[in-house]
Amino acid sequence: MRDLQLTAASRKSVPDAGEEVSLLSAYDEENSSNLRRLQVRVTGMTCAACSNSVESALMSLNGIVKASVALLQNKADVSFDPSLLKDEDIINAIEDAGFEAEILPDPSTTCSKPRGTLIGQFTIGGMTCASCVNSVEGALRKQPGVKKVAVALATSLGEVEYDPSVISKDDIISEIEDAGFEASFVQSNEQGKLLLGVTGIASEMDIQLLEGILCNLKGVRQFYFDRMSDDLEIHFDPELLGSRTIVDEIENGSYGRLKLLVKNPYTRMASKDLEESSNTFRLFTASFFLSVPILFMRVICPRIPLLYSLLLWRCGPFQMGDWLKWGLVSVVQFVVGKRFYVAAGRALRNGSTNMDVLVVLGTSASYFYSVCALLYGAITGFWSPTYFETSAMLITFVLFGKYLESFAKGKTSDAIKKLVELAPATATLLIKDKDGQVVGEREIDALLIQPGDILKVLPGTKLPADGLVVWGSSYVNESMVTGESAPVLKEVNSSVIGGTINLHGSLHIEANKVGSNTVLSQIISLVETAQMSKAPIQKFADFVASIFVPTVVTLALFTLLGWYLSGVLGAYPKEWLPENGNYFVFSLMFAISVVVIACPCALGLATPTAIMVATGVGANNGVLIKGGDALERAQKIKYVIFDKTGTLTQGKATVTTAKVFSGMDRGEFLKLVASAEAASEHPLAKSILEYARHFHFFDEPSAAKDAQNHGLDSKSYRWLLDALDFSALPGQGVQCFIGGKKILVGNRKLMTENCIAIPDHVENFVVELEESANTGVLVAYDNNLIGVLGIADPLKREAAFVIEGLVKMGVNPVMVTGDNYRAARAVAREVGITDVRAEVMPAGKADVVRSLQKGGSVVGMVGDGINDSPALAAADVGMAIGAGTDIAIEAADYVLMKSSLEDVITAIDLSRKTFSRIRWNYVFAMGYNVIAIPVAAGVLFPGLKIRLPPWVAGACMALSSVSVVCSSLLLRRYRKPRLTTILQITVE
């Protein structure tokens, strides 16, 4: 898992290997580096119609490129052009739509840039044509420290990737101005954001002191202090300031009067979710305890003469029971139920309808009818039945359903909570003097760690950040990332991952990745982004929800008119009417039941709840999923393409044989080959070098460690010969001069192009190697072929079983490789793959993917290297081995964190189980409405006298949402399939 970078990349093409990977792509709709991404917390949404209203309001703004609203998380994910819109415009649009909005901490910036670089955005004035763009880009590219430049004429914006240690943003502005244009800095992709809790604020003077310190602190861009919660939010320039510097300056500047506590943004968001759930529960309990007396008066009191006589006692124009019911229900209707009126009013002002509108219609109809019946009876003496209990029970059941939804939704985010809990809370910072000597220690918050900090890690504690070991040795438990239970030895120069556990010895580590750049933070960001994503199947649900409420209101009106006119025309007897009732009251109860029971909440929850649970379950099983669309495609996979090296094999090549075909001594032969390969970085070269070293120094066990720490200059490699004019020939091998004679190490093509004859007995030996899954490496010296090396890359132990398991699941495995066909065929035979595509270049792997897609088949690709990236991006579902390269991981839809092929089966199986659950969710959501609406409308009443009173309809409505959420929660019981089960192997 070295230098692992996880990115929530969208579906995009990745250039072929050898082609420059543009980090600052051209200005386009979704992946433009000129766009800004913002996440907003939206409060007040209750159903899919609400989320559609928010999306519509956002998309109507000029400058919005993409807006996705997640009902379940109460969040909106917005991509927009910052030159056309401000954050405040987005907030205002959401609030105008009738909801509350709050900007959340910036999502992790994901990029594949080298460590230590920033991407700055600049406004450039005075450009009039493409020639101006070229002038600016040309001027900046010449500057040292500038990595990439992209300038957009249409928006007058430029983005520059640069090394802040070499060139500053002020220097960039000066260069643009020297080129004849105006320039100003807009923002950095790593603009820091810090959330602090402040203690010690006792008066207005303390607030002014805090503001004065921040105003005088160079690098602070903006800040906001919440006087209600004493929270301080600071945006700052990471080029000029570090988070720890800000905290120290405030505490020192206030002479210790103000103390600061760093707040984790994920913890803050979780506390808000808990607060919302608690508030809903309080409203439910209040409504419940007010409704119980009403039901008691309606059901129990008539059976108790004394109590019933008290209720019948007339007090003014009404009976005492009427006064009590009216008073209790009024509190429930307008105090407890105020939130429904507010939300319904917002929706109607925005020209939309949602669940709140249905609730308000149903409860208001029963409440105001009951009030009118009382007043009519007081005036005329003709007393009609009242239905106050209907209104109260409806609100109670709706609140109960909302509480269970919020409780269940909290359960679906357990994966993120568990990941957040893995992060250490504090760290021990070593303080050094100017000579580099440790002069003290300081306990700091882990969120205040800065790159370059030297941190002390004691046995049994969590590593506070990603970094390198600079002192000490110990074993570290990395199972939380890699899934491997065996501890890993960490010594000087070893990479470590924040959140993993140091088991034995003490370590000093140098932090090199902090904040959103750590592996753990990127995993959290990836899981959160995936949970917010929408699967294509949800578009249908969103469409239905958008027309659902008007349709239901129309059905309710038809129900009311149908029953009323039928009664007036004598289509049914008066005996059906309630005591002292009339046709209108009889019809109204059916209409209210239709309005209440038909709620679109369950429909809107069917897909996102299942996706949230699935992504969390996947993360717990080492399979990171980048979105609901990836889940939907994965369940339809027909072909899975495997790269060979590093995917099916272990990626650790070893020399299996060395045969000399000249009179040269084997030791001299290996010395020549090792000397030629010493300057190469190819994995095969390293295996040859190690094999030769062991041949010469097999009695020096410390040599490997010495070489690792000191490189080839160590004593264990001084036996190598001097190689001159070294050159690596891609796809062929290497060549150089040793002792004035040319040496070639490579494949047949290299020998043929240099006119080196390959005798038949040598060719036969190489063919034998290839047919036994070895790669034959030929060696020529002074224009004569002198020997052959056989190199093998062992298969992963689970490879053959996984391939057999996929076949039994109905998935066709295919192997692609750049190796020769004989070696590839031999490997394929061992694992059981019949479809082999060998000797393909990196671009050819993508061509294989496209050829399989032509028939409409869904194709998955499993790979680990940069050369696999085009195929991973071209495939319908890309699966990157977790120990692979950053670019491969970015191009994929799934990341197999444990680097185990068994997780390919897990990924496909989980996606199938998830969409099976989503289909069941739609059955629950639609089944309630398809069956219950006709019953609520009274279809069964004429023949069977079966009807649904409004309060029973309210209970059914609440249960529909709860059943969908609970159905999704069943995915939490998912267990990854065992190969023994798939292969039907009996283990004795």
Side-chain angles (χ1 to χ4, degrees):
M1 303 296 290
R2 301 292 179 262
D3 299 322
L4 175 63
Q5 289 279 337
L6 301 177
T7 61
S10 56
R11 301 293 299 168
K12 57 182 179 296
S13 62
V14 175
D16 294 341
E19 194 177 299
E20 184 183 10
V21 180
S22 176
L23 296 177
L24 303 177
S25 58
Y27 186 83
D28 58 56
E29 275 200 348
E30 188 167 343
N31 296 318
S32 172
S33 56
N34 291 327
L35 299 181
R36 182 157 176 251
R37 181 182 167 210
L38 193 68
Q39 283 191 0
V40 183
R41 184 183 185 88
V42 184
T43 305
M45 296 190 298
T46 55
C47 64
C50 298
S51 62
N52 290 338
S53 299
V54 176
E55 281 190 9
S56 300
L58 290 173
M59 292 305 297
S60 65
L61 295 176
N62 183 28
I64 294 288
V65 172
K66 181 181 178 183
S68 177
V69 179
L71 171 65
L72 207 57
Q73 292 92 342
N74 294 322
K75 290 180 186 176
D77 197 331
V78 187
S79 296
F80 66 99
D81 187 340
S83 66
L84 301 176
L85 278 177
K86 296 180 180 178
D87 295 358
E88 293 79 8
D89 299 329
I90 294 173
I91 296 298
N92 292 336
I94 296 174
E95 290 179 346
D96 290 343
F99 304 92
E100 298 176 4
E102 174 193 2
I103 295 177
L104 292 174
D106 294 337
S108 300
T109 302
T110 57
C111 53
S112 304
K113 61 186 180 56
R115 190 179 68 198
T117 64
L118 295 178
I119 296 179
Q121 191 176 79
F122 301 82
T123 58
I124 304 173
M127 296 189 299
T128 57
C129 62
S131 178
C132 300
V133 172
N134 294 334
S135 298
V136 175
E137 291 183 343
L140 292 177
R141 287 196 180 105
K142 296 177 184 177
Q143 302 307 309
V146 173
K147 308 296 182 182
K148 298 285 177 64
V149 182
V151 176
L153 176 64
T155 58
S156 297
L157 286 174
E159 284 201 346
V160 184
E161 183 186 336
Y162 63 99
D163 186 345
S165 64
V166 179
I167 186 171
S168 69
K169 62 179 183 295
D170 294 330
D171 296 331
I172 294 173
I173 291 173
S174 298
E175 290 300 326
I176 297 173
E177 291 176 343
D178 290 343
F181 304 93
E182 300 175 357
S184 63
F185 178 75
V186 178
Q187 63 182 356
S188 165
N189 71 309
E190 289 190 2
Q191 176 175 315
K193 184 173 182 178
L194 191 61
L195 182 65
L196 303 167
V198 186
T199 57
I201 299 290
S203 64
E204 189 67 28
M205 294 289 292
D206 294 327
I207 296 177
Q208 293 178 4
L209 173 63
L210 176 63
E211 292 176 347
I213 295 172
L214 291 172
C215 288
N216 293 324
L217 199 56
K218 187 177 181 181
V220 173
R221 295 181 59 81
Q222 61 184 32
F223 60 88
Y224 171 72
F225 180 70
D226 188 336
R227 303 191 183 198
M228 297 294 294
S229 62
D230 285 342
D231 284 349
L232 176 64
E233 188 176 291
I234 304 173
H235 294 260
F236 61 94
D237 187 342
E239 288 186 55
L240 303 176
L241 275 178
S243 55
R244 191 168 68 250
T245 304
I246 295 174
V247 172
D248 291 343
E249 288 291 335
I250 295 175
E251 291 185 345
N252 295 335
S254 64
Y255 303 101
R257 287 166 57 189
L258 303 180
K259 296 296 182 181
L260 303 177
L261 173 66
V262 184
K263 293 192 174 184
N264 190 313
Y266 291 104
T267 305
R268 185 192 186 201
M269 291 158 59
S271 65
K272 288 202 170 187
D273 291 337
L274 181 62
E275 180 183 349
E276 182 179 351
S277 178
S278 300
N279 184 50
T280 304
F281 182 72
R282 285 195 299 270
L283 291 174
F284 161 67
T285 53
S287 179
F288 176 78
F289 285 114
L290 290 171
S291 301
V292 166
I294 301 172
L295 281 179
F296 185 80
M297 286 185 282
R298 179 67 179 260
V299 179
I300 305 298
C301 285
R303 302 176 185 274
I304 305 175
L306 180 61
L307 290 179
Y308 193 53
S309 62
L310 289 175
L311 294 178
L312 296 177
W313 178 54
R314 184 168 297 278
C315 182
F318 309 122
Q319 296 175 349
M320 180 58 69
D322 294 329
W323 283 113
L324 290 174
K325 291 179 183 178
W326 191 357
L328 290 172
V329 173
S330 295
V331 175
V332 174
Q333 185 75 21
F334 300 110
V335 178
V336 178
K338 176 184 176 182
R339 58 177 291 176
F340 297 112
Y341 280 95
V342 172
R346 289 173 176 170
L348 293 173
R349 283 199 304 271
N350 192 47
S352 62
T353 52
N354 57 18
M355 184 206 75
D356 299 294
V357 174
L358 292 179
V359 172
V360 168
L361 281 175
T363 59
S364 297
S366 58
Y367 175 83
F368 287 110
Y369 163 76
S370 299
V371 172
C372 292
L374 282 180
L375 296 176
Y376 183 77
I379 296 172
T380 66
F382 181 80
W383 300 93
S384 298
T386 59
Y387 297 93
F388 282 120
E389 68 280 355
T390 296
S391 176
M393 293 307 298
L394 282 177
I395 291 178
T396 301
F397 279 120
V398 171
L399 289 172
F400 178 64
K402 296 303 294 180
Y403 168 68
L404 289 182
E405 285 176 31
S406 62
F407 177 78
K409 287 190 291 185
K411 290 293 183 182
T412 62
S413 59
D414 280 351
I416 291 181
K417 293 176 185 175
K418 290 179 180 177
L419 289 170
V420 172
E421 290 170 358
L422 291 175
T426 60
T428 301
L429 174 68
L430 296 180
I431 303 173
K432 295 187 176 184
D433 59 17
K434 61 181 180 180
D435 298 323
Q437 300 297 317
V438 177
V439 296
E441 298 178 1
R442 175 186 171 190
E443 197 80 6
I444 63 171
D445 193 297
L447 295 173
L448 296 179
I449 297 173
Q450 298 177 168
D453 284 348
I454 305 298
L455 307 169
K456 181 179 179 181
V457 187
L458 296 175
T461 61
K462 294 179 180 179
L463 277 78
D466 295 4
L468 293 174
V469 176
V470 296
W471 178 88
S473 66
S474 179
Y475 281 89
V476 174
N477 182 354
E478 294 185 338
S479 60
M480 73 97 173
V481 173
T482 64
E484 294 293 335
S485 57
V488 181
L489 176 64
K490 299 295 181 181
E491 300 179 297
V492 174
N493 293 329
S494 297
S495 298
V496 292
I497 302 172
T500 55
I501 300 174
N502 180 27
L503 297 179
H504 302 298
S506 294
L507 295 174
H508 292 177
I509 68 168
E510 179 181 358
N512 55 19
K513 292 180 182 177
V514 300
S516 62
N517 291 323
T518 64
V519 169
L520 184 58
S521 293
Q522 291 180 48
I523 293 174
I524 293 172
S525 176
L526 182 58
V527 173
E528 186 182 44
T529 302
Q531 289 186 343
M532 285 189 63
S533 66
K534 287 187 177 182
I537 193 175
Q538 194 172 343
K539 294 179 181 178
F540 166 74
D542 291 343
F543 169 74
V544 173
S546 66
I547 62 172
F548 197 83
V549 177
T551 303
V552 168
V553 173
T554 303
L555 285 174
L557 289 175
F558 276 112
T559 300
L560 175 64
L561 292 174
W563 278 104
Y564 179 73
L565 293 176
S566 298
V568 172
L569 297 175
Y572 56 83
K574 288 187 177 182
E575 287 76 15
W576 288 7
L577 301 180
E579 186 179 355
N580 296 330
N582 54 45
Y583 292 117
F584 177 77
V585 176
F586 182 67
S587 306
L588 181 63
M589 291 301 103
F590 286 113
I592 292 175
S593 295
V594 170
V595 168
V596 172
I597 204 168
C599 172
C601 281
L603 195 63
L605 294 171
T607 300
T609 52
I611 290 176
M612 278 192 70
V613 176
T615 51
V617 168
N620 290 335
N621 284 281
V623 178
L624 296 185
I625 307 164
K626 293 187 178 179
D629 54 343
L631 270 169
E632 184 162 350
R633 290 192 300 271
Q635 52 130 4
K636 304 175 183 176
I637 287 179
K638 184 176 181 181
Y639 293 95
V640 171
I641 300 176
F642 290 91
D643 173 52
K644 180 175 78 70
T645 306
T647 302
L648 289 173
T649 66
Q650 296 178 13
K652 298 176 182 178
T654 56
V655 177
T656 58
T657 184
K659 189 172 182 64
V660 184
F661 290 99
S662 66
M664 185 180 293
D665 177 72
R666 179 179 294 209
E668 287 300 312
F669 169 72
L670 290 175
K671 182 183 290 187
L672 275 174
V673 179
S675 300
E677 293 283 12
S680 174
E681 294 187 356
H682 196 280
L684 297 186
K686 290 179 171 57
S687 64
I688 293 172
L689 189 62
E690 187 65 15
Y691 181 82
R693 188 192 64 77
H694 278 294
F695 182 86
H696 287 280
F697 299 98
F698 61 91
D699 57 346
E700 292 190 14
S702 63
K705 183 187 297 185
D706 188 39
Q708 180 182 1
N709 293 339
H710 303 288
L712 295 182
D713 292 333
S714 66
K715 63 180 181 179
S716 60
Y717 284 98
R718 291 175 185 168
W719 51 273
L720 292 173
L721 303 173
D722 292 332
L724 304 176
D725 297 331
F726 173 86
S727 61
L729 307 173
Q732 298 182 37
V734 300
Q735 68 177 27
C736 62
F737 288 86
I738 297 178
K741 298 179 181 178
K742 188 176 184 180
I743 182 169
L744 303 169
V745 183
N747 55 20
R748 294 182 182 84
K749 186 176 181 181
L750 178 64
M751 301 299 151
T752 303
E753 291 189 357
N754 286 273
C755 301
I756 305 296
I758 303 176
D760 290 342
H761 65 285
V762 176
E763 176 65 24
N764 293 335
F765 180 76
V766 174
V767 170
E768 288 179 11
L769 287 175
E770 292 173 346
E771 289 179 346
S772 59
N774 283 253
T775 298
V777 178
L778 293 89
V779 182
Y781 184 59
D782 194 21
N783 294 324
N784 293 309
L785 198 147
I786 61 172
V788 174
L789 294 168
I791 300 178
D793 185 2
L795 284 169
K796 291 182 177 178
R797 59 186 180 182
E798 74 274 14
F801 298 110
V802 169
I803 297 303
E804 186 178 352
L806 287 172
V807 171
K808 292 199 172 184
M809 292 173 68
V811 178
N812 302 309
V814 180
M815 188 180 81
V816 295
T817 179
D819 270 358
N820 65 79
Y821 190 81
R822 285 196 190 93
R825 189 70 195 147
V827 171
R829 273 199 308 269
E830 287 190 51
V831 297
I833 295 178
T834 57
D835 191 346
V836 181
R837 316 291 175 95
E839 298 180 284
V840 296
M841 295 300 289
K845 293 182 181 181
D847 291 337
V848 173
V849 171
R850 297 186 186 99
S851 67
L852 294 173
Q853 289 172 330
K854 286 181 179 178
S857 300
V858 177
V859 178
M861 169 72 193
V862 185
D864 69 320
I866 292 176
N867 59 340
D868 298 325
S869 300
L872 286 168
D876 298 290
V877 181
M879 299 182 188
I881 297 295
T885 63
D886 296 350
I887 295 177
I889 291 170
E890 183 174 351
D893 301 290
Y894 284 74
V895 180
L896 311 181
M897 296 291 294
K898 300 177 184 177
S899 299
S900 170
L901 290 178
E902 292 181 37
D903 289 337
V904 175
I905 290 179
T906 302
I908 297 174
D909 183 67
L910 177 58
S911 66
R912 291 179 177 179
K913 293 284 198 314
T914 301
F915 270 81
S916 173
R917 183 58 54 187
I918 288 175
R919 293 184 187 99
W920 273 110
N921 286 351
Y922 280 125
V923 169
F924 287 130
M926 301 298 293
Y928 272 97
N929 291 322
V930 170
I931 297 172
I933 288 179
V935 176
V939 171
L940 300 180
F941 188 78
L944 303 176
K945 298 298 182 293
I946 295 176
R947 60 180 296 180
L948 287 180
W951 68 273
V952 176
C956 292
M957 181 269 290
L959 288 174
S960 67
S961 296
V962 173
S963 63
V964 166
V965 176
C966 291
S967 170
S968 294
L969 287 176
L970 288 176
L971 279 172
R972 287 161 54 95
R973 302 172 61 186
Y974 175 84
R975 296 292 179 269
K976 59 192 303 182
R978 299 179 61 184
L979 285 175
T980 52
T981 303
I982 296 174
L983 303 180
Q984 298 177 345
I985 299 174
T986 303
V987 181
E988 297 183 356

